[in-house]
Amino acid sequence: MEQTLVIALVGILGIGAQWLAWRTGWPAIVLMLAAGFLAGPVGLGVFDPEHAFGELLEPIVAVGVALILFEGGLSLDFRELRHTGGAVARLATVGVALGWLFGALAGIYIAGLQPEVAILFGGILVVTGPTVVIPLLRQSSIKSRPASILKWEAIVNDPTGALCAVIAYEYFRKVAESPGASLFEVVPPLIIAAIIAGLIGYAAALAIAWSFPRGAVPEYLKVPVLLTAVIGVFVVSNLIEHEAGLVAVTVMGVALANMNVSSLRSIHPFKENVAILLVSGIFILLSASLGRDELAYLNPLTTAGFKMMLFLLALLFLVRPATILISLLGSSIPWNERLLLAWIAPRGIVLVAISGLFALRLADLNFNDGGLLIGLSFAVVVVTIVAHGFTIDFVAKLLKVKGVTRPGILIVGSTPWTIALAEQMRDLKAPVIVVDASWQRLGLARQKGIDFYHGEILNEATEHNLELAPYQNLVAATENEAYNALVCNEFAHEIGRDSVFQLGESADGEDRHSLPEGLRGRALFESGFGVEDVSERQRQGWVFRKTKLSEEFDFEKMQEKLPDAANMLLLMRDNGTIRFFTHAAKPEPRAGDTILSFSPPQTRSAEEKAAKKAAKNKGVQPT
């Protein structure tokens, strides 16, 4: 099969699996594994990556892993670590050493791997993988501290696991070349090479941080220059020492993340898209490369397969719990959070990619068990994702570390209208918070007991001090429509373009005086009320009204009861899901929904007023 067709199929399968995961809520990595397996020689035999790419397969995977590690490092901002109580530092040092030790021992004495292969694989096993952990945390809902610890442990330990594997591999390679070499003759040069590689990565980060803000690189070339620099740093560092490039690109990413380079903010969406493409592509390629030998070795009905099953159980119930509980002894982390951390450790793409990278090279060193690493790493990924991904909510609830489960609303701008909206959402038991840079404007929120955040929502510091996880919708309703559009545009990538809203109707293509739809959030209300519209109507006595629908009292009957001028704002399902009525979309109300409308004060006819007065005179409460 032509290489171009294989590349197209890899893209279709990888992105298709990602999309299906989004639609179903299933772990994306499991769907990608199934897609690659079915497409490979063991499945339907649609294509064989090794046959299609030949010697290019290894460098393709290597460069992909380097870019993934750089992207992970670029996500690591040290300011967020202060909220984890030092737990991440413990897990990145003591935890890595213990995890490597316990994983290697399990590989030797339970799986029966060659000691060299087990030691290398034990180093790789310290990774947990942000590409799996972060989506898992996004889908579940646990408290912010354990979620933050799991997130940053995954980001920090990804390159650390790669470094452990590099050290182990280089040691065994040097020993193979010089059989009489001692530990002290081999390890120090490797450490020196890793330090040099780290310095190269840091120097490259400094060059980027200096040149980008000063206009030395035009805007349209910043992304190509950055990606080229990452690949260049990776290749140059590898010339110094095999696989030292993984250390260099990780250091480069972490350094850039903490240099406050404003020019990188516009690059973040693109580099995340590149990471998704690389993760999908590499995972499809590696899973499609699985042969019958690797899969047969995992058959639990055979002696070797039974040992592997015991090894996987040991990872779940012995290695991870012992690593976490020993590492956090004497820390301030509560025991219920420690137990959750001890259970949750899904592995992802980096484990498979690094295992695939070294499996080929271990075979060259005559370590026969090296060829088993790809199949074994896939087994670890599947078992940990299934075990942890489908139990995290139950375990979190059991340990009482469950966070907010109902979707919430983040409101930008403290005005009488937004505070009234926040009160309604609070009554509906939905998480709600009002954000404003003015302490004076927040006075009404404080008076009403509404949760608030005092600060500029666009300030980078807000990202580290305001927990956004409970809020799946954003409403920008300050008095400045252009500012509202800026806020919506900034958060559209993180929250979703369909989940950011603002007051005011977008302009059509002919109106050159208004903001175009592509730069603003979805318009609240079907009528497209603006900021001045809702403020004026509120002064006229308009109020929010909540109406619960039922089989007998449906949406049409509710509309008959409300004034003709009433406008529907949103509906809330029984499960807490929120759907807004906008100028472009109208949700389908059904029994059990609660409708929140914004409507003028109810006016009574002369007959209704007379009936109320008569009832009052008789001492009867009117219905």
Side-chain angles (χ1 to χ4, degrees):
M1 184 178 292
E2 292 186 5
Q3 291 178 338
T4 52
L5 184 56
V6 173
I7 292 172
L9 285 173
V10 168
I12 292 170
L13 292 172
I15 301 304
Q18 294 267 14
W19 179 85
L20 188 60
W22 169 72
R23 292 293 298 175
T24 62
W26 294 356
I29 202 165
V30 173
L31 295 175
M32 288 189 289
L33 169 63
F37 176 75
L38 289 174
V42 178
L44 300 177
V46 178
F47 65 87
D48 182 352
E50 293 185 1
H51 176 73
F53 296 103
E55 294 181 354
L56 285 176
L57 181 60
E58 184 179 335
I60 288 172
V61 173
V63 172
V65 171
L67 290 171
I68 291 170
L69 288 178
F70 170 75
E71 195 274 337
L74 203 56
S75 305
L76 179 56
D77 193 312
F78 291 140
R79 287 173 292 185
E80 291 197 27
L81 297 181
R82 64 176 178 265
H83 301 298
T84 62
V88 173
R90 286 169 173 255
L91 296 180
T93 51
V94 178
V96 166
L98 291 175
W100 191 358
L101 173 63
F102 296 153
L105 292 175
I108 296 171
Y109 295 106
I110 298 179
L113 296 173
Q114 290 175 284
E116 296 84 357
V117 176
I119 291 171
L120 188 143
F121 193 52
I124 302 175
L125 286 174
V126 304
V127 307
T128 51
T131 56
V132 182
V133 171
I134 293 175
L136 181 64
L137 295 175
R138 194 177 292 137
Q139 293 174 6
S140 61
S141 178
I142 62 176
K143 290 183 178 178
S144 59
R145 180 167 54 191
S148 183
I149 292 172
L150 287 170
K151 171 186 173 183
W152 293 118
E153 180 203 11
I155 293 174
V156 173
N157 282 3
D158 245 16
T160 304
L163 178 59
C164 292
V166 168
I167 291 174
Y169 171 76
E170 288 302 315
Y171 173 74
F172 297 132
R173 186 178 68 84
K174 291 289 177 89
V175 169
E177 293 175 355
S178 306
S182 67
L183 186 68
F184 294 102
E185 292 174 336
V186 174
V187 173
L190 295 178
I191 296 175
I192 293 173
I195 293 173
I196 294 174
L199 291 174
I200 292 174
Y202 186 75
L206 282 176
I208 296 292
W210 181 89
S211 60
F212 276 23
R214 288 170 173 78
V217 179
E219 196 67 33
Y220 73 95
L221 282 180
K222 286 182 178 178
V223 171
V225 166
L226 185 63
L227 293 179
T228 303
V230 173
I231 296 173
V233 165
F234 174 69
V235 173
V236 170
S237 300
N238 276 350
L239 293 177
I240 298 172
E241 187 66 55
H242 287 283
E243 311 311 332
L246 298 178
V247 178
V249 295
T250 303
V251 171
M252 182 180 174
V254 173
L256 276 175
N258 292 276
M259 287 180 178
N260 297 322
V261 183
S262 58
S263 302
L264 292 180
R265 288 182 66 86
S266 60
I267 293 175
H268 281 196
F270 180 84
K271 59 96 176 173
E272 290 179 6
N273 292 336
V274 169
I276 290 174
L277 287 170
L278 289 171
V279 166
S280 304
I282 291 176
F283 211 87
I284 294 295
L285 286 174
L286 290 176
S287 57
S289 300
L290 284 172
R292 296 186 183 277
D293 293 340
E294 291 94 344
L295 296 177
Y297 194 72
L298 298 174
N299 183 359
L301 298 179
T302 64
T303 302
F306 182 71
K307 288 182 178 180
M308 289 303 162
M309 184 182 68
L310 292 179
F311 172 73
L312 295 173
L313 292 175
L315 286 182
L316 292 176
F317 298 104
L318 294 176
V319 174
R320 175 67 177 182
T323 299
I324 295 297
L325 297 179
I326 295 175
S327 299
L328 296 181
L329 281 176
S331 72
S332 60
I333 306 300
W335 275 99
N336 58 338
E337 295 183 9
R338 296 188 205 184
L339 292 174
L340 179 73
L341 298 174
W343 173 242
I344 303 300
R347 270 63 168 199
I349 181 63
V350 173
L351 173 71
V352 174
I354 297 175
S355 297
L357 204 58
F358 286 108
L360 303 173
R361 299 179 181 180
L362 285 171
D364 296 336
L365 298 180
N366 296 320
F367 295 121
N368 297 328
D369 286 354
L372 304 174
L373 290 188
I374 296 179
L376 186 54
S377 64
F378 273 111
V380 171
V381 166
V382 173
V383 168
T384 55
I385 286 178
V386 171
H388 300 146
F390 291 103
T391 62
I392 184 170
D393 283 327
F394 171 76
V395 173
K397 190 177 297 183
L398 186 67
L399 296 173
K400 299 181 179 179
V401 291
K402 190 78 173 161
V404 176
T405 56
R406 292 172 71 85
I409 297 180
L410 187 153
I411 301 176
V412 180
S414 180
T415 67
W417 186 82
T418 60
I419 297 304
L421 171 60
E423 287 187 286
Q424 297 295 322
M425 300 312 300
R426 183 179 61 182
D427 292 344
L428 289 170
K429 309 300 183 186
V432 63
I433 190 170
V434 177
V435 181
D436 203 298
S438 170
W439 183 256
Q440 183 179 4
R441 286 195 296 267
L442 286 169
L444 185 58
R446 300 196 305 272
Q447 179 184 338
K448 298 287 187 179
I450 302 294
D451 288 340
F452 66 90
Y453 176 83
H454 178 219
E456 171 55 60
I457 188 68
L458 296 175
N459 192 318
E460 192 173 350
T462 299
E463 298 179 20
H464 310 297
N465 295 302
L466 177 62
E467 179 59 50
L468 296 177
Y471 310 108
Q472 281 77 50
N473 299 280
L474 179 145
V475 172
T478 70
E479 296 176 354
N480 188 324
E481 184 181 357
Y483 177 81
N484 295 338
L486 179 63
V487 170
C488 289
N489 202 46
E490 180 72 17
F491 283 86
H493 175 71
E494 183 170 353
I495 297 179
R497 176 64 66 179
D498 295 330
S499 300
V500 291
F501 304 89
Q502 71 177 96
L503 291 168
E505 189 173 4
S506 61
D508 57 35
E510 303 298 325
D511 189 352
R512 61 187 178 88
H513 302 290
S514 300
L515 290 169
E517 184 176 359
L519 294 180
R520 49 174 293 126
R522 300 287 183 259
L524 293 173
F525 298 110
E526 291 181 72
S527 58
F529 279 162
V531 177
E532 294 181 0
D533 296 324
V534 296
S535 298
E536 177 61 29
R537 281 163 175 74
Q538 195 172 31
R539 285 192 291 269
Q540 294 173 3
W542 283 48
V543 293
F544 287 106
R545 287 190 170 88
K546 298 188 294 291
T547 308
K548 181 81 170 181
L549 301 184
S550 64
E551 296 291 347
E552 297 76 21
F553 189 73
D554 60 14
F555 185 60
E556 291 183 1
K557 291 182 179 178
M558 185 207 78
Q559 288 180 301
E560 293 174 1
K561 289 288 184 180
L562 291 174
D564 293 337
N567 278 258
M568 308 303 138
L569 177 61
L570 60 85
L571 63 78
M572 178 180 282
R573 310 284 189 200
D574 282 337
N575 62 0
T577 301
I578 298 170
R579 295 286 183 268
F580 284 85
F581 292 84
T582 72
H583 74 295
K586 179 181 176 182
E588 190 67 33
R590 55 178 183 245
D593 294 346
T594 299
I595 307 290
L596 184 63
S597 59
F598 187 55
S599 63
Q602 290 278 17
T603 56
R604 296 180 182 273
S605 63
E607 292 80 3
E608 289 174 327
K609 291 179 180 178
K612 181 179 180 181
K613 185 175 181 180
K616 184 177 181 181
N617 292 335
K618 294 180 180 180
V620 178
Q621 183 67 30
T623 58

